[in-house]
Amino acid sequence: MFSRSTVGGHPNTAVDTRFYDSSIDFLPDADKEKDVFRTKTILFVVDLARKSRKKVAKSYSLFCRNLAAISIFYGLAVLQLVLTYQKVLNVTGNQDICYYNFDCAHPLGSLTSFNNVFSNIGYILLGILFLILVARRDVIYKKAVQNDRKIGKELGIPQHFGLFYAMGLALVMEGLMSACYHVCPNYSNFQFDTSFMYIIACLCMLKIYQSRHPDISAKAHTSYMFMACVIFIAVIGVLHGTESFWIVFSTIYMVGTLIMSVYIYYMGRWKLNREIFIHTWVQIRQNCFMCPRPMYKDRFIFLVIGNSINWSM
């Protein structure tokens, strides 16, 4: 249960090691990186990266490629469905099929609400403009690195543009999916208008984090699987939004935010595994019941406010 730690060969006080986390990194790889940790007198941000720039850039480029494949398969099914709805509406004259359209509809040809469809052109044009600006910035950065090696080695943070491309593509697809939704909008196909909103929000959060942590990359397939789970929960809420569903969802959501709060409070020093509940209880008992105030006061107040707002909503 207890062991004696040594510093400089001298025994230190007894320390309880029962609740030590195995995820703490003691940097055993420092011995391998001798050019960084032992010979360089001046360290730059790029020296602290544990992965090569090409490898990280390749992992980020998968976001745009995977999203392109998802968009094709998802978009074709949506387009087929809404065009079928429109055809049934034109044949039967049953306006209840697309009942959201007829408050301010301006038809054009077979489209009963052309104005609502065309109004989404702004998303598409802005997404295309965003992609052009990202491509221009990508080219300029690559030329600058070729002309001056210091830019990639000593100046600033390594730049990656894969997530930017994915964000631009998601914005274009949001315009297209919103236009498809407005061909025949109703309660059952509302997810067509919101699916890529979730994706844009998640990509923005990933990009904000990646801007200061370029070496830590969430895998593309894992990120999109998480987004798919979010959309799946939204679908269940639309089709079977009973009280039981919302009670279960709210409970899981609150527990999830609490676990993430613990993870943020200790700056990622814990792994998200089965033992985190035991660690959480031990730390709550030690920090809240035995100590007059938390160890990291500012971080604790921020998380309490954030969770209070989250749970109240």
Side-chain angles (χ1 to χ4, degrees):
M1 288 297 182
F2 293 87
S3 65
R4 302 184 68 85
S5 60
T6 60
V7 179
H10 298 288
N12 204 351
T13 57
V15 179
D16 188 353
T17 59
R18 287 177 297 173
F19 305 112
Y20 276 15
D21 190 5
S22 59
S23 65
I24 296 177
D25 187 4
F26 292 101
L27 294 178
D29 52 351
D31 294 330
K32 300 178 182 178
E33 302 292 337
K34 295 176 180 163
D35 57 329
V36 174
F37 292 96
R38 295 189 180 179
T39 62
K40 297 193 72 171
T41 57
I42 300 177
L43 291 179
F44 298 96
V45 174
V46 71
D47 294 326
L48 302 178
R50 314 304 297 163
K51 302 176 184 177
S52 66
R53 185 185 180 280
K54 289 184 179 180
K55 183 177 180 180
V56 177
K58 185 177 180 180
S59 66
Y60 283 124
S61 66
L62 291 177
F63 278 92
C64 189
R65 297 177 186 177
N66 291 356
L67 184 60
I70 293 170
S71 301
I72 292 173
F73 284 96
Y74 185 77
L76 289 176
V78 170
L79 184 62
Q80 179 184 4
L81 181 61
V82 296
L83 291 180
T84 302
Y85 277 164
Q86 183 65 67
K87 185 176 181 180
V88 172
L89 172 64
N90 294 337
V91 172
T92 63
N94 182 10
Q95 294 184 351
D96 290 338
I97 299 175
C98 313
Y99 52 87
Y100 287 162
N101 259 346
F102 300 103
D103 286 338
C104 55
H106 294 277
L108 178 65
S110 60
L111 285 177
T112 56
S113 185
F114 171 77
N115 56 315
N116 290 333
V117 175
F118 182 75
S119 64
N120 293 283
I121 193 68
Y123 288 112
I124 300 173
L125 294 178
L126 182 59
I128 294 173
L129 177 62
F130 186 82
L131 287 172
I132 293 173
L133 293 175
V134 172
R136 177 178 176 272
R137 182 177 172 183
D138 192 5
V139 172
I140 292 174
Y141 179 77
K142 288 179 180 178
K143 288 183 178 179
V145 171
Q146 291 176 356
N147 296 332
D148 188 358
R149 291 293 180 179
K150 287 185 177 181
I151 294 178
K153 295 294 184 181
E154 298 179 7
L155 303 179
I157 297 172
Q159 298 294 310
H160 304 284
F161 299 91
L163 280 171
F164 276 134
Y165 285 115
M167 290 163 61
L169 178 58
L171 188 56
V172 173
M173 289 305 302
E174 168 57 28
L176 292 174
M177 291 297 100
S178 183
C180 289
Y181 163 74
H182 284 289
V183 170
C184 183
N186 53 65
Y187 184 73
S188 62
N189 63 7
F190 182 66
Q191 71 172 57
F192 300 161
D193 194 30
T194 58
S195 296
F196 279 87
M197 293 182 185
Y198 297 133
I199 292 177
I200 291 172
C202 291
L203 289 175
C204 287
M205 288 189 289
L206 287 173
K207 183 58 190 176
I208 290 172
Y209 187 81
Q210 182 250 330
S211 296
R212 297 301 301 178
H213 306 81
D215 200 33
I216 305 174
S217 59
K219 296 185 182 299
H221 63 275
T222 304
S223 301
Y224 287 127
M225 182 61 68
F226 171 78
M227 299 175 201
C229 292
V230 172
I231 296 173
F232 178 70
I233 293 173
V235 173
I236 295 178
V238 170
L239 299 178
H240 306 285
T242 61
E243 287 187 4
S244 300
F245 167 78
W246 288 114
I247 290 173
V248 173
F249 169 76
S250 300
T251 303
I252 295 174
Y253 182 76
M254 286 192 238
V255 173
T257 54
L258 180 61
I259 293 174
M260 287 303 300
S261 299
V262 174
Y263 191 74
I264 294 171
Y265 182 76
Y266 289 101
M267 299 296 290
R269 304 313 301 173
W270 286 2
K271 287 184 179 180
L272 297 179
N273 52 25
R274 290 177 296 179
E275 297 178 356
I276 193 170
F277 294 102
I278 300 175
H279 292 320
T280 302
W281 168 246
V282 171
Q283 293 300 326
I284 290 175
R285 188 180 64 183
Q286 291 179 350
N287 290 344
C288 296
F289 300 156
M290 300 181 182
C291 299
R293 60 181 180 179
M295 186 183 303
Y296 310 106
K297 186 176 180 180
D298 296 339
R299 205 179 303 161
F300 179 81
I301 294 174
F302 172 78
L303 290 171
V304 167
I305 294 174
N307 279 310
S308 300
I309 296 174
N310 235 329
W311 294 355
S312 62
M313 292 174 61

